[in-house]
Every structure is written in C-alpha cells, then in structure tokens.
Amino acid sequence: HEINNSLTPISSISQTLVSRLTTQDVLRSDADFLKGLDMIGQRAEALTRFIAEYARVARLPEPQKRPFDLVSLLEKLEKLYEKRVVFVREQQSAVPVTADATLIEQLLINLIKNALEASADSGEPVELRIRNGETDVQVQVLDRGSGLANPANLFVPFYTTKDKGSGIGLVLCRQIANAHGGRLRLENRVDEVGTVATLELGRR
C-alpha cells in the first residue's frame, strides 16, 4: 500500500521524462530533466529508509526528529504531482518545525492520494495549505470530492470503502501524527463540497 502510494507519482514523472526524450528540445531542457531525476532519487531514498525501518521493527519507526522547513516540503510535493496538486501560499516565509521529514512526507503523500481519488470525478486539483499559529502549525489537504459519508470509521484498521484498499493508510497517518505529539483529523469542508485533512504539529 505505502509503496504504491509513492510509485504512482514516481511512475508519472518517469513517463513524462521519457516522452520528452523523443522531442528535439532535449538539450534546452537539461535543467528540467535534472530536477525531475533528482526528485525521483530523493523520493526513492526516503521510501527505502521508511520500508527498511518498518520491516526491521515491524511497527512504526521511532521518529528521527530534526529541524526542516514545511514550506519547502510542500513545494516539493506540489512538483511531485505536477498540476494535480496546488500549494496555496498564504505566506512566503519559511515555516520551521522539528519532526521526522521522511515520516511527515509519507503521511502527506497518503493524504494527497486519498484526496486525488476523491477528486477524480470533478477533476479539480487538490490544495495544500499551511496555517501558522503561535504554538503549532497546521498542514491542510483539501479536495473537492463528495465528502465523508461515514467519518466514524475513518481510523478503524482494515476498514475501507475502496475496491483495492487495505484500510491501513489513514491508521498509519494517525500513528505518525501521534508519534510526533500531533493530531490528524478529517472533516467535511464547510466552505464547499469536499474534505479537509488537517495535520497539527507542535513547533518543537
């Protein structure tokens, strides 16, 4: 499940790069190719670390907390999913947090995947937002799908409404949030139809 969540955007970027290799503009696009290949490498390395730790202890890895910038992480995810995900910047400055960047990235990838599936019919992009508070930071993933029909079962292990779902994606997301002393909640949007997933993280 977790591998598939990451392989989907990796595969998409790879196909885009291959298709562009057939054009005559390759030499003028070297910078774009290097960025794309670097992104693939970074995500593959992060996923390898995640799987190795998960397999070794057969449980969620202990977070290796280090300072990093949430804005940079969301910018990377926006590029990873190209035009299907839009980072709505309400501020331009960095938003530093101390957390395990690999685990937080995996959590957000899971939420984005769910949001993209919910928005498949509407074709609307998924939005990423940061709400910067005095003591905590909120990262929101917003879609324009049909909303939550049965929110009470969202975090029940192995419960899923998807034909090929495993029912562990959101459970793992909540475990990652809890391991950081944070909180994850999913709600129907009040501004329009759709769902908002909110990850709350302390600054330290």
Side-chain angles (χ1 to χ4, degrees), residues 66-141:
R66 296 181 179 85
F68 70 94
D69 176 27
L70 270 176
V71 171
S72 296
L73 176 57
L74 266 61
E75 287 176 342
K76 183 170 74 169
L77 290 174
E78 180 184 39
K79 294 175 182 176
L80 186 65
Y81 288 91
E82 297 181 328
K83 296 181 180 180
R84 295 185 297 159
V85 172
V86 177
F87 177 21
V88 180
R89 294 163 178 78
E90 298 180 353
Q91 60 185 52
Q92 297 298 322
S93 59
V95 178
V97 295
T98 300
D100 188 317
T102 298
L103 291 178
I104 297 301
E105 183 177 12
Q106 190 65 52
L107 183 160
L108 293 174
I109 284 176
N110 285 357
L111 296 180
I112 289 171
K113 176 180 180 293
N114 287 346
L116 287 171
E117 290 175 350
S119 302
D121 291 337
S122 68
E124 294 288 338
V126 168
E127 293 183 2
L128 304 179
R129 296 178 183 267
I130 293 178
R131 297 190 179 277
N132 197 6
E134 293 184 2
T135 60
D136 66 358
V137 177
Q138 295 183 357
V139 180
Q140 294 185 319
V141 180

Side-chain angles (χ1 to χ4, degrees), residues 115 118-119 126-127 140-149 154 185-198:
S119 302
V126 168
E127 293 183 2
Q140 294 185 319
V141 180
L142 304 97
D143 66 56
R144 293 185 175 88
S146 58
L148 301 173
L154 287 176
R185 67 178 189 272
L186 275 77
E187 305 165 303
N188 285 316
R189 296 177 64 171
V190 296
D191 56 337
E192 58 181 285
V193 175
T195 303
V196 53
T198 303

Side-chain angles (χ1 to χ4, degrees), residues 161-178:
T161 59
K162 303 175 184 177
D163 292 338
K164 297 182 179 180
S166 65
I168 64 171
L170 287 178
V171 175
L172 179 60
C173 287
R174 185 171 65 173
Q175 288 179 342
I176 293 173
N178 291 345

